[in-house]
């Protein structure tokens, strides 16, 4: 089985912006799922800390992930709308099969 590029991001929203982040993340996910090289894009909101979001992205390779981070929709939705509403953002890259059971 070939190895894919898996990015796991943890976004911690400022307390007063969590619901707005929750509204915008699906827009980013929808656009990202249309990218060439994207295999999946999932968002989860922490049940105990509702201002914390985990995003799991799977791409065919690291180049596809790089293209995602350079895309127009990441710039307009991610960089301009979501990231300014965050307290912190941690993104870690992995090599994996892209299957989460």
């Amino acid at each position: 089985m070939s190895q894919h590029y898996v990015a796991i991001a943890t976004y911690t929203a400022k307390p007063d912006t969590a619901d707005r982040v929750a509204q915008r993340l699906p827009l980013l996910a929808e656009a990202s799922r249309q990218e060439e090289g994207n295999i999946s894009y999932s968002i989860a909101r922490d049940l105990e800390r509702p201002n914390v979001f985990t995003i799991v992205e799977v791409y065919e390779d690291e180049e596809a992930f790089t293209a995602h981070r350079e895309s127009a929709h990441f710039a307009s939705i991610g960089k301009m709308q979501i990231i300014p509403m965050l307290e912190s953002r941690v993104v870690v890259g992995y090599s994996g099969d892209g299957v989460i059971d």
Side-chain angles (χ1 to χ4, degrees), residues 29-99:
E30 182 179 338
S32 299
R33 289 182 189 122
Q34 304 306 311
E35 295 173 15
E36 185 176 333
N38 178 270
I39 295 170
S40 67
Y41 194 109
S42 300
I43 304 162
R45 190 172 188 175
D46 192 306
L47 295 173
E48 294 183 12
R49 299 171 300 153
N51 64 319
V52 177
F53 301 85
T54 299
I55 304 161
V56 179
E57 307 168 57
V58 182
Y59 294 89
E60 289 178 2
D61 52 33
E62 189 171 359
E63 290 75 26
F65 177 69
T66 299
H68 159 70
R69 295 190 79 171
E70 295 172 352
S71 68
H73 62 267
F74 185 76
S76 65
I77 302 169
K79 290 181 181 176
M80 295 176 70
Q81 295 179 42
I82 296 172
I83 291 173
M85 292 190 283
L86 302 179
E87 284 182 356
S88 67
R89 175 174 164 257
V90 177
V91 181
V92 180
Y94 299 88
S95 175
D97 63 12
V99 177

